Amino acid sequence: MHCQTCAFYNESGSECRRYAPQPAENEKKASWPTVAATDWCGEYKEDPNKAKKTA
């Protein structure tokens, strides 16, 4: 149950796409939160295709 197998995880940018991008303080552009593949959270939703790759 880590980000790497979550449906909301975008591997190419190591981003969590569970919610819309949020603006950072003093930034003019919103961005997705950056996470590590081994991170986890309480809103995990398994992506069966990603889970097969790591098994």
Side-chain angles (χ1 to χ4, degrees):
M1 289 185 29
H2 292 102
C3 292
Q4 66 189 3
T5 59
C6 183
F8 305 117
Y9 180 64
N10 176 21
E11 292 179 39
S12 64
S14 293
E15 302 163 330
C16 176
R17 295 200 168 182
R18 172 67 178 101
Y19 296 104
Q22 298 295 313
E25 195 171 317
N26 298 322
E27 296 278 333
K28 294 182 180 183
K29 179 181 160 183
S31 60
W32 304 97
T34 302
V35 297
T38 56
D39 285 349
W40 62 274
C41 78
E43 298 195 35
Y44 173 85
K45 180 179 178 187
E46 184 178 70
D47 181 328
N49 295 321
K50 291 178 185 176
K52 287 178 187 175
K53 289 180 187 178
T54 61

